[in-house]
């Protein structure tokens, strides 16, 4: 994406949320990490707790389907669907699919999470999934308003050992995430609800930029 366009997105963010001006360089750095991952056919893994777990689901939802655009499937894949089935059925399938940026929220696998917490170690519930799903070239987006969530930190440690770039989304002080992550976006607030309110416009602008990068 052209530098001028990126700057325009950051200007839009700051116009609506002036207090986030201090975060813009890290938001841009996070965008480049994510874009590089998707350009190399990697995927995003996401983890967090409580409200941040819901944010993980939200982000995955914006990436895995059309957010601000419809993202029609490529003409070549439309042709493959028609060839595999028939004109009517293939067209229906193509018309009801959208291109995706692969993202997995690690917060939803309740059987695995509860089994691992009960049988092995609660603070490793996300680390185990990063180890199982992750590979070099994927990216981990770790959300923690304090930056101190142990299960999130363990996930980052495993991601780094796998060669995955890591992005932290946290509050003013950053906790341990600021030391561990390749990029840490620290919103300048200390109370959990204030931090979470600022996380949403940040990940919305990230999703908007990524959609523009890949789907126009």
């Amino acid at each position: 994406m052209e530098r001028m366009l990126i700057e325009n997105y950051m200007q839009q963010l700051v116009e609506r949320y002036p207090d986030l001006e201090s975060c813009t360089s890290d938001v841009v750095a996070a965008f480049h990490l994510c874009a590089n991952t998707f350009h190399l056919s990697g995927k995003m893994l996401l983890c967090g707790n409580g409200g941040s777990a819901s944010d993980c689901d939200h982000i995955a939802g914006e990436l895995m389907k059309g957010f601000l655009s419809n993202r029609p499937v490529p003409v070549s894949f439309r042709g493959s669907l028609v060839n595999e089935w028939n004109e009517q059925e293939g067209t229906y399938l193509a018309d009801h699919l959208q291109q995706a940026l692969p993202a997995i929220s690690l917060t939803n696998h309740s059987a695995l999470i509860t089994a691992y917490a009960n049988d092995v170690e609660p603070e490793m519930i996300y680390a185990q999934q990063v180890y199982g799903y992750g590979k070099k070239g994927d990216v981990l987006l770790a959300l923690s308003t304090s930056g101190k969530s142990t299960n999130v930190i363990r996930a980052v440690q495993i991601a780094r050992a796998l060669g995955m770039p890591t992005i932290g989304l946290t509050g003013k002080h950053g906790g341990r995430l600021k030391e561990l992550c390749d990029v840490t976006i620290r919103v300048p607030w200390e109370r959990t609800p204030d931090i979470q309110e600022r996380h949403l416009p940040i990940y919305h602008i990230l999703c908007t930029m990524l959609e523009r990068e890949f789907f126009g």
Side-chain angles (χ1 to χ4, degrees):
M1 188 184 297
E2 295 179 2
R3 179 179 176 181
M4 186 176 297
L5 190 55
I6 292 174
E7 291 176 352
N8 183 55
Y9 279 121
M10 292 303 98
Q11 183 179 351
Q12 292 176 35
L13 178 66
V14 173
E15 284 176 356
R16 295 193 64 186
Y17 303 92
D19 54 327
L20 296 182
E21 185 170 9
S22 62
C23 302
T24 55
S25 61
D26 291 319
V27 173
V28 172
F31 162 73
H32 286 303
L33 277 183
C34 295
N36 187 59
T37 289
F38 292 131
H39 276 302
L40 296 175
S41 300
K43 61 184 175 295
M44 178 186 289
L45 304 179
L46 304 105
C47 63
N49 301 294
S52 295
S54 297
D55 287 332
C56 291
D57 295 347
H58 190 160
I59 295 166
E62 310 295 25
L63 295 175
M64 284 290 294
K65 60 175 287 297
F67 178 32
L68 298 178
S69 68
N70 292 326
R71 305 188 197 174
V73 298
V75 173
S76 59
F77 189 64
R78 175 178 289 269
S80 297
L81 289 170
V82 170
N83 290 336
E84 182 68 25
W85 304 109
N86 56 55
E87 182 70 31
Q88 181 178 356
E89 199 158 359
T91 298
Y92 171 86
L93 292 169
D95 287 345
H96 294 86
L97 283 177
Q98 297 181 333
Q99 292 191 69
L101 295 173
I104 302 173
S105 173
L106 305 180
T107 66
N108 284 323
H109 306 144
S110 57
L112 171 59
I113 287 172
T114 54
Y116 215 81
N118 186 64
D119 301 343
V120 185
E121 173 56 58
E123 68 183 48
M124 296 292 285
I125 58 171
Y126 293 137
Q128 175 65 22
Q129 293 185 75
V130 171
Y131 182 64
Y133 290 124
K135 67 180 190 318
K136 185 175 182 179
D138 292 340
V139 63
L140 175 67
L141 180 52
L143 286 76
S144 170
T145 58
S146 67
K148 301 176 182 178
S149 303
T150 306
N151 56 6
V152 172
I153 289 168
R154 296 302 187 202
V156 172
Q157 290 176 315
I158 300 305
R160 288 187 52 173
L162 291 172
M164 296 171 55
T166 54
I167 300 166
L169 188 53
T170 184
K172 181 178 181 179
H173 301 294
R176 197 173 176 199
L177 280 186
K178 71 181 179 185
E179 304 166 5
L180 294 178
C181 292
D182 296 299
V183 175
T184 308
I185 303 169
R186 293 184 290 159
V187 301
W189 291 82
E190 298 186 29
R191 292 177 64 246
T192 295
D194 295 325
I195 295 168
Q196 290 174 333
E197 286 175 13
R198 273 68 178 188
H199 280 180
L200 189 147
I202 286 174
Y203 64 68
H204 265 174
I205 203 73
L206 271 174
C207 291
T208 300
M209 294 167 69
L210 288 166
E211 186 170 66
R212 178 65 179 265
E213 172 78 3
F214 288 90
F215 308 114

